[in-house]
């Protein structure tokens, strides 16, 4: 695929990134106002704005390119301690709706930002060659059978499957439907975390311990790959395998990650 063909994708990256930056600036301004209200008179409104704006800001950043954990912050905002500051103590359903809706919407925006970053990468000839691999063509045929529900399902499942979003982006799947699928899947995932927090009355140390456990499991899973990478280092054979379609999904992810680092 030629570089000129890749550029004609109809996506205005400058407009998106400018709008996303304004969104983050707006959340920062709202959080700053809330903090000033808290410092000034301990305003309950100040607490609510500061917590929810900070929550939305954090969740808006969490994606493949900023892989920060989200479980702990969703559960923390759903906790009794934070609910007291939000005026939602004793209002379980309202708390669930607020936590799940704001979290899912912010995550949807984070994934949509990832969409535009990946579009930028696909405009680079070397990354665009991933579309010519046998693995990509097989995955593309599977994804096109029911893209919306596949995206929704993998947004719901608490497993790292970023490659599904990359596949949707590389096929130029509708950005609107991409966003809706992300929001739908994450809403139900966050609702489960919120219900667990409410039902078990988890405290801060419970939540942090749970997140630490999840991070430990993830590190155990990726540590062997990291060790092999450090010992073996990068080599031309790996890059050639990526182009020829013999690499695994994990290696394709590493390939794109290297491109991000050099962008």
């Amino acid at each position: 695929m030629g570089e000129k063909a890749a550029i004609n994708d109809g996506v205005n990256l400058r407009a998106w990134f400018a709008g996303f930056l304004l969104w983050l600036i707006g959340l920062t301004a709202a959080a700053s106002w809330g903090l000033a209200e808290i410092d000034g008179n301990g305003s309950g409104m100040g607490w609510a704005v500061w917590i929810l704006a900070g929550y939305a800001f954090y969740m808006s950043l969490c994606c493949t390119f900023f892989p920060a954990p989200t479980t702990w912050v969703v559960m923390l905002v759903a906790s009794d301690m934070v609910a007291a500051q939000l005026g939602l103590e004793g209002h379980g359903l309202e708390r669930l709706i607020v936590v799940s809706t704001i979290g899912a919407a912010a995550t949807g925006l984070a994934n949509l930002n990832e969409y535009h970053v990946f579009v930028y990468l696909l405009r680079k000839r070397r990354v665009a060659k991933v579309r010519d691999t046998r693995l990509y063509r097989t995955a593309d045929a599977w994804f096109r059978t029911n893209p919306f529900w596949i995206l929704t399902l993998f947004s719901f499942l608490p497993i790292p499957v970023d490659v599904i979003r990359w596949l949707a982006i590389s096929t130029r799947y509708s950005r609107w439907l991409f966003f809706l699928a992300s929001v739908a899947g994450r809403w139900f995932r966050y609702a489960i975390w919120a219900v667990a927090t409410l039902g078990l009355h988890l405290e801060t140390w419970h939540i942090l311990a749970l997140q630490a456990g999840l991070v430990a499991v993830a590190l155990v899973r990726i540590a062997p790959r990291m060790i092999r990478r450090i010992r073996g280092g990068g080599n031309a054979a790996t890059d050639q395998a990526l182009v020829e379609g013999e690499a695994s999904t994990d290696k394709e992810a590493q390939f794109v990650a290297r491109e991000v680092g050099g962008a």
Side-chain angles (χ1 to χ4, degrees):
M1 175 182 295
E3 190 168 4
K4 289 184 178 179
I7 291 176
N8 295 327
D9 48 36
V11 179
N12 188 331
L13 295 179
R14 291 183 180 179
W16 166 260
F17 290 129
F20 188 71
L21 180 60
L22 288 175
W23 164 250
L24 295 180
I25 290 173
L27 290 176
T28 302
S32 297
W33 177 87
L35 192 59
E37 284 293 300
I38 295 170
D39 291 339
N41 52 30
S43 166
M45 177 64 73
W47 274 108
V49 171
W50 181 67
I51 292 170
L52 295 180
Y55 176 45
F57 184 95
Y58 181 86
M59 299 296 281
S60 294
L61 294 177
C62 297
C63 65
T64 301
F65 306 115
F66 185 74
T70 56
T71 302
W72 73 274
V73 72
V74 173
M75 300 182 84
L76 183 64
V77 177
S79 68
D80 294 335
M81 179 188 71
V82 175
Q85 302 297 334
L86 294 175
L88 293 175
E89 196 171 19
H91 300 276
L93 179 60
E94 292 88 340
R95 201 191 316 181
L96 182 153
I97 291 173
V98 168
V99 172
S100 301
T101 302
I102 293 178
T107 296
L109 287 174
N111 289 341
L112 201 53
N113 190 53
E114 178 182 304
Y115 186 110
H116 290 82
V117 172
F118 204 87
V119 166
Y120 166 75
L121 294 176
L122 287 173
R123 291 178 179 180
K124 301 178 73 172
R125 183 187 299 272
R126 190 174 176 219
V127 179
K129 286 183 179 180
V130 171
R131 288 172 169 164
D132 298 328
T133 65
R134 184 170 63 247
L135 176 62
Y136 173 83
R137 289 192 292 270
T138 300
D140 177 54
W142 166 75
F143 176 75
R144 290 180 185 275
T145 58
N146 206 329
F148 182 84
W149 291 111
I150 289 174
L151 273 172
T152 300
L153 175 62
F154 281 97
S155 293
F156 169 74
L157 295 174
I159 55 177
V161 284
D162 297 342
V163 71
I164 300 299
R165 293 198 302 274
W166 298 353
L167 185 59
I169 298 164
S170 65
T171 61
R172 296 188 176 91
Y173 186 62
S174 164
R175 284 178 289 175
W176 176 242
L177 293 177
F178 179 89
F179 172 76
L180 289 181
S182 296
V183 171
R186 289 308 178 95
W187 195 97
F188 287 102
R189 185 201 293 193
Y190 297 162
I192 290 175
W193 291 347
V195 168
T197 305
L198 287 164
L200 298 174
H201 298 287
L202 298 181
E203 297 181 9
T204 303
W205 74 270
H206 295 135
I207 295 169
L208 295 179
L210 175 62
Q211 183 63 70
L214 292 174
V215 171
V217 170
L219 288 176
V220 169
R221 181 173 178 269
I222 67 173
R225 301 179 202 170
M226 295 177 65
I227 293 173
R228 286 196 299 269
R229 188 185 307 171
I230 292 172
R231 288 179 177 176
N235 55 66
T238 299
D239 289 340
Q240 183 63 28
L242 283 165
V243 174
E244 294 178 354
E246 299 298 330
S248 66
T249 300
D250 182 59
K251 288 181 180 178
E252 287 194 1
Q254 293 173 22
F255 170 73
V256 176
R258 286 200 302 273
E259 287 296 317
V260 175

